[in-house]
Amino acid sequence: MTTHRASLNGKWSDNRWTNGDTSPGIDPISIFDAIEVPIVVVSCDFSVAGFNRAAAVLGLTASDIGGACLDVPVLAGLPRLGQLCTQAITDGVESRADLRDGEKWFVVRISQYTRSDRQVAGAVLTFTNVTAFRASVNQAIYEREFAKTIINTVANPLVVLDGDQRIQSGNRAFYAEFGLSRDQTKDIPLYDICNGAFESAALRRQMGDVFAGRQTFQPVEVDLILPAKNQRTFILDAQPVSFQGHSERRILVSLQDITARKQAEMAKDLRSEEELRRSEAFLVEGQRLSLTGTFSWEVGTQKIAGSEQFYRIFEFDLGSPVTITEMGNRIHPEDIMLFNNMIDDVRGGQGDFDYECRLRMPDETVKYVQVIAHGSRNTDSRLEYIGAICDVTARRHAEEEVREGEANAEQRLRLVVDCAPVMITSTRPDGFVDYFNKRLLDYLGLSLSDIEGWNWLSSVHPDDAPGLLEKWKMIVELVKPEEYHEARVRRFDGVYRWFLHRAAPMYDQEGKIVRWFGTALDIDDRKNAEEALRRSEAFLSEAQRLSLTGSFSWQVADGNIAWSEQLYRIFEFDHDVPVTLDLVSARTHPEDARPYQEILDRLRRDCSDFDFEYRLQMPDRSVKYLHVIAHGIRNENGRLEYIGAAQDVTQRQEAEAALATARSELARVARSISLGVLTASIAHEVKQPLTAVTINGQACLRLLAKHNLEPEVLRPALEEIVANATRANAVIARIRAFIMKAPTETDDLDVNVVIHEVLALVGHELQRNCVLLECKLAELPALVLADRVQLQQVLLNLIMNGIEAMTEIADQRRVLRVESEIVDSGDVLVTVCDSGVGLGSETDRIFDPFFTTKANGMGMGLAVSRSIIEDHGGRLWASSNHPKGAIFSFTLPGACRNDS
Amino acid sequence: MNSASVVFIVDDDPSVRFAIKFLLSTVGITAECFESAEDFLRRKPSSAPCCVVLDVRLRGLSGLDIQAELTMKNIPIPIVFLTGHGDIPMTVRAMKAGAVEFLTKPVRDQDLLDAVRIALDRDRARLEQEMELSLLRQRFGSLTSREHQIISMVVEGMLNKQIADHLGITESTVKVLRRRAIEKMQASSIADLTRMIDRLKKTSEKNT
């Protein structure tokens, strides 16, 4: 083996094949290298002996020579190489193996290598590249499988026929749909399956033509009865199929189930037809009646389908189901027969109908409706009425009114005339009155016969009758219509009222007067108003005089002043002198000149209203108070004008001043009345300093007790004590001064007048407490020399005490008696008696200061009163009244006694 | 007397203010004077024991108005009324509204001093109570929620074992927590603790 290899080696040159054993003319190496199939020679010891040039594609290199063949990567990829080589070398068995080298596929043939001397020298491996072949085979397999899958996945049944139109194969859908198996159908003519449903001469002929390639197939519809699905309709299409390389032709038949589509189309056709039929009917009916509801009624079913308007007319709830019975319930009872007849006719199939009937709504209103319907048979060949219904109530009413109107026109006119708010008469051309309307007769309370002709004059006021008659005659004779005349006419109750009388002629075609129409309008209220106005104007001027009010107007721009008569009087101007602003201003009181001028300036500046009071000074230096109110307007020319009124309020002002004086006096008195309240205040004022004195003193004593004698602590306290003691003293002095009101202003007074003054003050109190006042005063003036206010204070005190003493008396009359008399000594005696609780056992103490029986009193009133009276040289005492109450009396020395 | 305490004097008469302040100074009581009710109500609140000597009759708001105002504002300052002339209804009204004393002018020094002393004592007691209560609240607030639970059960009279069962913890844990809580509350005994909790409960009820 070694020699073989060595010799072989030796024979190959250029690291490849060096064959010394060369035949002349043939170079085995070049032949070997020229073969494009890679060849590798493996020696008996499985080493690589050599390879040709083509083997380079396998990646063999010179360095592989002499190496173990299994070390060469590409050879190592050959399964069972060693075994195959051994078989080849030892047994001469040739074998094949598939080798994959990257993308390439090879078929390796391993055969024995014998040298020319027939010696087995090893194995020869030839590598046939089968890559392309292999790929094409794979593709074919793949495509076949793919087609098969697609065909089987197609939902439509597919079947392949041979030239005799016998079934060769079908797809899954075919077998499943037709409930057949492959074996059952193999070589069975198409026309034998499905009970020969495919049998048709036309189909056979078409198939034949298609197979022969004479024409393309026109799809045909085939109705089949399938085991699971009853009747189905298919579209059958066919086309010839030929396979490359095969002379045989086949026909591919596809079947498409169009049953559902067919049914849907049919249904759609049916439905749209139906709808069209209906809508046309609706439309037709709708055109015939406007404002119309439509309905349909399938006679067999009771049920009525209605449009919105239909529901509205019948006043059914929109959308609720309506039956013919419900419809019947709405029919007016008087028309129900008609309705029922109609229904019977309809049920009997009596064609179309058109009639009017009345409906009665739940609220009793009546409607007129017109119904038009047209009967037809629908697809179910059921009788159906399609119709329209129109509410014609308004039209009917209008028609009725017209009819009525025509019949009653004359009657109505009379009614109108009678009802008219004016009095109407109708007169013959000569003036003879032959008609009075009802209103006029009612007014007069007479009948036509009473006043016919010229008798009506008796109803006219005697003062007005001649004038009216004259006028009337003039109108009639001269034919002067539209003349007015006012005259009073007696009413049925004898009252005369003013009327405006008028007459108008009625002409015939020739222009001749055939009648006169007269009207009389009640103008009494207007007449009265006019009268009232006239009177009120008169009143106004009178009122101005009485109220001392004058009116004026003042045009600012040109200074024109219109002055009423009363203003002349107030300003004491001479009537002949034209009033000017200067003249008016000159009357202004000097003290009011400035405010007057300010107001005047303001009025000139802007258009405003004003309301002010100022004083006038007359030439005799007397003063008048004037209250002026004015309203500013801009007239058409935009000019400012004031219109106003001025009132002489001098008297009022004087009264007010007097009142103010009285008030201040009253205030003084009132201050005395509130003595009770004052005492509380007084007590506080006194107690404050006393408290300070006490506490400071006590605190000092405490310090002394503790021997704490620091002067800076004690001094301020002691100073406070002194200051407060002084203060208390001052308060007391003030109170005394207040009560005694020194110095006393004595004057000759009539006690009776003072009593009246005080009673005027307490009038309200008396009334409030329901106290009856009995006053019995001296007839002559009871003159005394006294301080008016102090005397008032005493009287007030006594009277108030009396009133208060009676507030708790509920069961008896409360009587307060005030008396005055001049006693024999010439003194004046005044007594105030009440019927109150009385004095009890306290009579002696009541004049003590601070004695009180009242919850709110301070007990000062009587003490003060007594001191006042005693200051005046009089006496004040109390005694009991019988059966109840107290009497307070005082005397004052009479002033007259001094004179006498 | 406690030097920290203060007496407010409200009187519209400066002499009376001076006198009362002087009297109080002789017994070592500090006083602050106000001329009107409005001035007094505007004062800064004091944390020291205090009371007010109030004249019924003042310019502006009266003494009785001040009393009503203080009650409304929940300011529990004791009041000693002083009046020039008091009628019975006025006195009754003032006393009913919680006045310490109702004195009439001129007043005896000892009566005034006694009234002021009672008023100050009352306020001091109130302050002490409040202080104690706030301390209690503070201590109670320092407890953990577990300690709260345990304490409330202890106060209800539950035994450690019961508490342990109820809370699902061991008895020894209860003991530890319980001891810690009592320490935190600074209670001397369970009875003491119960009293504390009762007080806290009462005040919280009053506040709600």
Side-chain angles (χ1 to χ4, degrees):
Chain A
M1 286 291 279
T2 314
T3 50
H4 289 166
R5 193 183 57 189
S7 69
L8 212 139
N9 260 344
K11 280 173 204 168
W12 288 20
S13 63
D14 194 20
N15 284 338
R16 285 185 290 123
W17 197 271
T18 51
N19 197 353
D21 185 20
T22 50
S23 311
I26 297 167
D27 179 4
I29 299 294
S30 36
I31 294 167
F32 190 53
D33 276 345
I35 296 168
E36 51 180 347
V37 176
I39 298 168
V40 177
V41 179
V42 177
S43 57
C44 293
D45 60 353
F46 300 139
S47 62
V48 176
F51 52 86
N52 68 348
R53 196 174 284 165
V57 299
L58 297 175
L60 271 83
T61 59
S63 61
D64 290 327
I65 290 178
C69 66
L70 285 174
D71 289 344
V72 178
V74 69
L75 299 180
L78 265 174
R80 298 187 297 123
L81 177 66
Q83 195 188 342
L84 294 175
C85 285
T86 309
Q87 277 181 10
I89 293 163
T90 52
D91 304 336
V93 176
E94 192 182 285
S95 54
R96 284 166 187 268
D98 290 340
L99 171 73
R100 186 179 175 186
D101 176 27
E103 292 285 298
K104 296 183 187 125
W105 283 91
F106 296 94
V107 173
V108 184
R109 196 170 56 132
I110 304 157
S111 54
Q112 198 175 49
Y113 171 56
T114 48
R115 281 200 311 230
S116 47
D117 55 0
R118 306 245 173 218
Q119 276 252 259
V120 175
V124 177
L125 281 65
T126 60
F127 292 78
T128 313
N129 189 337
V130 295
T131 311
F133 174 71
R134 208 181 159 92
S136 69
V137 168
N138 272 351
Q139 183 64 29
I141 292 168
Y142 172 75
E143 280 173 3
R144 202 180 68 222
E145 285 301 314
F146 189 71
K148 226 162 114 184
T149 311
I150 289 173
I151 285 166
N152 278 332
T153 346
V154 170
N156 288 344
L158 296 173
V159 62
V160 178
L161 308 179
D162 63 7
D164 297 328
Q165 300 173 23
R166 273 193 295 256
I167 295 168
Q168 292 306 302
S169 67
N171 70 348
R172 211 174 283 157
F174 170 74
Y175 296 117
E177 193 93 329
F178 289 81
L180 299 168
S181 71
R182 185 176 288 269
D183 299 337
Q184 278 175 320
T185 53
K186 182 71 179 165
D187 293 327
I188 303 287
L190 177 67
Y191 310 101
D192 288 357
I193 61 164
C194 293
N195 299 323
F198 289 100
E199 181 57 67
S200 127
L203 184 60
R204 275 179 186 269
R205 194 176 56 246
Q206 251 211 107
M207 287 278 199
D209 288 348
V210 166
F211 187 73
R214 285 192 289 269
Q215 66 171 70
T216 54
F217 192 86
Q218 296 300 314
V220 289
E221 267 184 34
V222 187
D223 285 335
L224 301 173
I225 292 178
L226 296 185
K229 295 183 174 172
N230 310 327
Q231 186 174 349
R232 313 295 291 175
T233 305
F234 288 89
I235 295 262
L236 188 149
D237 201 353
Q239 67 180 83
V241 194
S242 56
F243 301 96
Q244 223 173 3
H246 285 269
S247 56
E248 236 181 324
R249 286 167 73 94
R250 294 271 192 274
I251 301 171
L252 177 66
V253 176
S254 77
L255 292 156
Q256 192 185 358
D257 187 344
I258 56 162
T259 320
R261 196 183 77 198
K262 190 94 178 171
Q263 278 172 353
E265 273 173 7
M266 250 166 74
K268 198 171 142 198
D269 286 351
L270 284 173
R271 202 165 48 238
S272 57
E273 242 174 70
E274 179 88 357
E275 275 171 7
L276 188 67
R277 194 175 58 77
R278 272 167 193 249
S279 65
E280 274 173 354
F282 276 137
L283 189 67
V284 169
E285 304 305 342
Q287 280 170 343
R288 284 172 62 186
L289 286 168
S290 61
L291 246 179
T292 305
T294 52
F295 63 91
S296 69
W297 174 34
E298 244 185 68
V299 178
T301 63
Q302 279 272 324
K303 235 189 90 191
I304 294 169
S307 71
E308 266 185 50
Q309 182 65 26
F310 172 84
Y311 277 92
R312 268 197 290 277
I313 291 172
F314 278 92
E315 294 175 19
F316 289 134
D317 287 336
L318 193 62
S320 61
V322 176
T323 63
I324 197 76
T325 321
E326 281 172 292
M327 208 166 139
N329 289 340
R330 283 279 198 269
I331 305 295
H332 195 283
E334 290 171 25
D335 288 350
I336 196 74
M337 285 287 286
L338 183 68
F339 178 76
N340 286 338
N341 286 341
M342 187 269 298
I343 295 295
D344 289 344
D345 284 352
V346 166
R347 288 220 168 91
Q350 293 285 315
D352 301 350
F353 60 89
D354 174 351
Y355 78 111
E356 251 185 65
C357 71
R358 281 168 294 174
L359 304 181
R360 197 170 62 177
M361 294 300 123
D363 63 358
E364 299 290 320
T365 57
V366 173
K367 282 185 183 175
Y368 289 88
V369 291
Q370 185 178 7
V371 186
I372 297 171
H374 169 70
S376 65
R377 302 218 168 252
N378 61 15
T379 41
D380 300 334
S381 58
R382 273 193 285 245
L383 183 60
E384 184 180 42
Y385 272 83
I386 294 168
I389 178 160
C390 180
D391 186 343
V392 296
T393 315
R395 196 179 73 200
R396 278 303 282 264
H397 280 324
E399 282 170 4
E400 264 169 33
E401 267 172 33
V402 169
R403 265 200 301 280
E404 254 173 48
E406 280 164 1
N408 302 330
E410 211 181 294
Q411 208 179 343
R412 272 168 181 250
L413 192 63
R414 188 164 292 273
L415 203 65
V416 168
V417 169
D418 279 345
C419 292
V422 289
M423 319 289 182
I424 297 170
T425 55
S426 168
T427 313
R428 292 207 300 248
D430 59 358
F432 185 92
V433 184
D434 60 356
Y435 171 77
F436 294 82
N437 76 342
K438 189 163 180 303
R439 201 179 170 84
L440 183 49
L441 291 173
D442 286 349
Y443 176 85
L444 297 170
L446 299 169
S447 66
L448 181 59
S449 57
D450 294 335
I451 47 170
E452 226 174 359
W454 299 93
N455 291 339
W456 53 269
L457 269 170
S458 60
S459 289
V460 178
H461 195 282
D463 293 351
D464 302 336
L468 184 62
L469 183 62
E470 197 181 325
K471 191 88 177 175
W472 177 224
K473 278 181 174 164
M474 195 180 78
I475 288 170
V476 174
E477 281 162 16
L478 301 176
V479 192
K480 277 179 72 183
E482 297 300 319
E483 279 282 353
Y484 306 99
H485 193 77
E486 287 175 6
R488 281 165 287 181
V489 178
R490 192 177 60 228
R491 200 164 59 185
F492 59 87
D493 57 1
V495 174
Y496 284 96
R497 290 177 71 84
W498 282 99
F499 278 83
L500 180 69
H501 301 269
R502 233 186 292 196
M506 189 174 122
Y507 302 94
D508 64 6
Q509 287 165 339
E510 293 156 18
K512 221 173 86 187
I513 289 175
V514 285
R515 299 199 76 77
W516 283 94
F517 284 105
T519 61
L521 189 66
D522 188 336
I523 53 163
D524 200 57
D525 294 337
R526 197 194 78 196
K527 201 81 178 165
N528 286 340
E530 278 173 10
E531 185 64 24
L533 187 65
R534 255 202 304 281
R535 234 177 292 154
S536 74
E537 275 166 359
F539 273 138
L540 189 66
S541 74
E542 191 69 9
Q544 285 202 355
R545 206 170 61 79
L546 281 175
S547 67
L548 304 176
T549 306
S551 53
F552 65 88
S553 79
W554 170 38
Q555 288 182 341
V556 178
D558 52 19
N560 273 348
I561 292 175
W563 212 239
S564 85
E565 205 180 295
Q566 182 58 28
L567 272 180
Y568 278 100
R569 252 176 253 133
I570 291 171
F571 276 78
E572 296 175 15
F573 288 149
D574 202 331
H575 273 81
D576 307 330
V577 180
V579 178
T580 63
L581 190 60
D582 290 342
L583 211 55
V584 173
S585 302
R587 283 280 195 261
T588 309
H589 192 281
E591 287 174 27
D592 287 350
R594 245 181 86 175
Y596 173 83
Q597 196 55 45
E598 277 169 16
I599 284 176
L600 218 55
D601 291 345
R602 186 164 63 82
L603 293 179
R604 279 205 177 100
R605 209 166 43 241
D606 29 71
C607 177
S608 59
D609 294 353
F610 70 99
D611 179 345
F612 77 112
E613 271 187 43
Y614 75 112
R615 283 170 294 175
L616 305 180
Q617 197 177 40
M618 295 301 125
D620 63 357
R621 307 199 66 75
S622 68
V623 174
K624 281 185 181 176
Y625 287 87
L626 198 66
H627 181 198
V628 188
I629 301 171
H631 172 61
I633 48 166
R634 297 243 172 226
N635 63 19
E636 291 151 28
N637 309 323
R639 289 194 179 162
L640 187 56
E641 182 176 359
Y642 285 93
I643 294 171
Q647 188 181 18
D648 182 351
V649 293
T650 313
Q651 284 176 359
R652 198 188 76 198
Q653 278 289 342
E654 280 169 357
E656 272 177 11
L659 193 66
T661 316
R663 270 192 202 130
S664 67
E665 269 177 39
L666 198 71
R668 243 171 88 207
V669 177
R671 196 178 50 186
S672 311
I673 302 171
S674 58
L675 207 61
V677 182
L678 272 175
T679 30
S681 158
I682 291 161
H684 185 78
E685 275 193 63
V686 179
K687 275 180 185 172
Q688 288 294 93
L690 285 180
T691 304
V693 168
T694 315
I695 295 176
N696 281 319
Q698 286 166 336
C700 286
L701 287 172
R702 274 173 187 278
L703 291 176
L704 284 172
K706 288 187 199 167
H707 305 289
N708 188 345
L709 300 173
E710 289 168 42
E712 62 271 25
V713 179
L714 285 176
R715 185 174 292 116
L718 291 169
E719 281 169 2
E720 272 290 308
I721 291 172
V722 174
N724 278 293
T726 314
R727 189 176 134 203
N729 209 7
V731 170
I732 290 163
R734 213 160 61 226
I735 293 165
R736 196 181 155 73
F738 175 82
I739 294 172
M740 292 311 171
K741 201 176 180 295
T744 314
E745 296 168 1
T746 54
D747 208 349
D748 278 343
L749 296 173
D750 181 354
V751 173
N752 291 343
V753 173
V754 179
I755 290 173
H756 276 301
E757 284 169 356
V758 174
L759 288 176
L761 279 176
V762 298
H764 177 69
E765 284 297 305
L766 291 167
Q767 210 173 349
R768 194 166 66 88
N769 290 292
C770 306
V771 174
L772 190 69
L773 178 72
E774 289 177 1
C775 204
K776 191 181 156 203
L777 301 183
E779 287 175 10
L780 293 170
L783 292 177
V784 293
L785 189 67
D787 181 309
R788 176 187 287 267
V789 175
Q790 288 188 4
L791 191 52
Q792 281 175 343
Q793 213 169 316
V794 171
L795 277 165
L796 197 63
N797 202 345
L798 297 180
I799 290 169
M800 285 307 292
N801 277 349
I803 293 171
E804 279 169 34
M806 291 186 287
T807 48
E808 285 170 28
I809 305 296
D811 51 345
Q812 283 179 18
R813 289 206 310 162
R814 300 171 182 180
V815 182
L816 185 80
R817 202 168 70 243
V818 181
E819 294 175 2
S820 70
E821 63 179 299
I822 303 165
V823 294
D824 296 341
S825 62
D827 289 352
V828 174
L829 172 66
V830 177
T831 52
V832 177
C833 312
D834 65 67
S835 60
V837 289
L839 301 166
S841 58
E842 313 276 12
T843 320
D844 297 336
R845 293 183 56 206
I846 51 169
F847 293 103
D848 293 350
F850 304 111
F851 173 84
T852 182
T853 54
K854 298 179 219 160
N856 302 317
M858 287 307 294
M860 288 301 286
L862 285 175
V864 170
S865 296
R866 177 174 263 184
S867 71
I868 288 172
I869 296 297
E870 286 174 354
D871 273 3
H872 283 82
R875 262 184 338 116
L876 170 61
W877 69 96
S879 55
S880 288
N881 194 7
H882 294 285
K884 284 190 86 177
I887 303 172
F888 285 88
S889 318
F890 66 84
T891 57
L892 285 173
C896 50
R897 192 180 52 181
N898 294 349
D899 298 337
S900 64
Chain B
M1 215 170 255
N2 196 328
S3 57
S5 59
V6 60
V7 175
F8 304 114
I9 301 164
V10 188
D11 198 308
D12 55 1
D13 192 314
S15 298
V16 175
R17 291 202 296 270
F18 173 88
I20 296 172
K21 190 174 178 177
F22 180 56
L23 176 65
L24 292 173
S25 76
T26 65
V27 292
I29 298 176
T30 318
E32 247 178 77
C33 296
F34 299 93
E35 197 184 338
S36 69
E38 289 78 4
D39 285 353
F40 170 63
L41 290 170
R42 268 200 298 272
R43 85 186 200 289
K44 281 179 193 147
S46 154
S47 59
C50 58
C51 72
V52 57
V53 176
L54 200 53
D55 189 4
V56 173
R57 195 179 158 132
L58 294 165
R59 279 189 285 271
L61 289 178
S62 77
L64 292 170
D65 292 335
I66 295 187
Q67 186 183 31
E69 181 97 16
L70 292 172
T71 309
M72 203 187 74
K73 287 183 174 169
N74 204 15
I75 300 171
I77 182 165
I79 299 170
V80 175
F81 275 110
L82 213 55
T83 178
H85 68 288
D87 55 14
I88 293 167
M90 198 192 278
T91 317
V92 169
R93 192 182 140 198
M95 295 305 284
K96 262 194 174 170
V100 174
E101 191 60 271
F102 198 96
L103 301 169
T104 48
K105 288 177 187 173
V107 66
R108 240 168 49 82
D109 58 342
Q110 198 55 53
D111 292 349
L112 182 60
L113 290 176
D114 287 348
V116 165
R117 191 167 289 125
I118 292 168
L120 286 176
D121 286 349
R122 200 185 277 184
D123 201 43
R124 189 173 297 112
R126 179 187 63 80
L127 281 172
E128 275 167 12
Q129 271 196 340
E130 266 178 20
M131 190 94 77
E132 199 185 332
L133 201 62
S134 80
L135 205 62
L136 271 185
R137 278 207 198 97
Q138 208 178 330
R139 286 184 206 153
F140 192 71
S142 73
L143 300 182
T144 65
S145 60
R146 194 52 132 189
E147 287 164 355
H148 277 153
Q149 270 181 317
I150 287 175
I151 276 210
S152 60
M153 289 173 172
V154 168
V155 166
E156 277 167 28
M158 286 170 77
L159 300 172
N160 288 348
K161 196 170 155 41
Q162 289 172 312
I163 295 170
D165 279 358
H166 200 274
L167 295 178
I169 53 178
T170 66
E171 204 177 330
S172 56
T173 312
V174 172
K175 277 183 189 165
V176 172
L177 289 171
R178 174 183 160 149
R179 195 174 57 244
R180 204 190 295 160
I182 290 173
E183 274 166 16
K184 278 187 184 172
M185 289 300 288
Q186 297 178 21
S188 56
S189 63
I190 296 297
D192 193 21
L193 182 73
T194 312
R195 192 183 53 80
M196 287 176 175
I197 300 299
D198 271 1
R199 276 194 69 185
L200 284 169
K201 266 189 194 161
K202 267 179 201 155
T203 53
S204 70
E205 274 163 18
K206 213 187 282 174
N207 292 343
T208 49

